């Protein structure tokens, strides 16, 4: 097993599927907004892959001293 990370892009349907399966509609942010906000300096949206297979995601905000994990999910 070799886990790698990749920045999530708008057209990434595998990560979007994991996100929609992991969180109810009431808990979710709009996926396009998350991708757009991840282009800012303090917000990151990463997909995790085992080889080429998507296996999870993390969406976080950070500053110099604090990291706030807003969404973290793994594929079932």
């Amino acid at each position: 097993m070799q886990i790698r990370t990749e920045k999530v892009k708008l057209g990434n349907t595998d990560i979007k599927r994991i996100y929609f399966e992991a969180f109810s509609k009431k808990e979710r942010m709009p996926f396009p907004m998350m991708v757009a906000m991840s282009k800012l300096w303090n917000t990151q949206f990463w997909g995790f892959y085992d080889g080429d297979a998507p296996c999870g995601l993390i969406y976080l905000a950070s500053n110099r001293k604090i990291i706030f994990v807003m969404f973290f999910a793994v594929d079932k």
Side-chain angles (χ1 to χ4, degrees):
M1 177 192 300
Q2 184 173 352
I3 302 295
R4 66 178 175 84
T5 58
E6 188 175 296
K7 287 192 130 202
V8 175
K9 297 178 182 166
L10 190 57
N12 194 316
T13 57
D14 293 324
I15 297 299
K16 186 174 183 178
R17 176 189 54 78
I18 294 170
Y19 176 62
F20 275 65
E21 288 176 354
F23 301 98
S24 70
K25 187 174 183 175
K26 288 171 54 174
E27 297 172 319
R28 291 191 303 248
M29 288 176 52
F31 192 81
M33 180 189 298
M34 293 170 65
V35 173
M37 289 177 63
S38 71
K39 297 177 191 296
L40 303 174
W41 67 272
N42 62 340
T43 309
Q44 298 178 39
F45 195 7
W46 295 97
F48 298 107
Y49 295 84
D50 180 7
D52 289 331
C55 57
L57 64 91
I58 191 166
Y59 184 76
L60 57 92
S62 62
N63 68 21
R64 289 185 217 140
K65 297 182 181 183
I66 298 171
I67 296 175
F68 179 68
V69 176
M70 292 180 269
F71 296 98
F72 178 77
V74 294
D75 199 3
K76 45 181 167 169

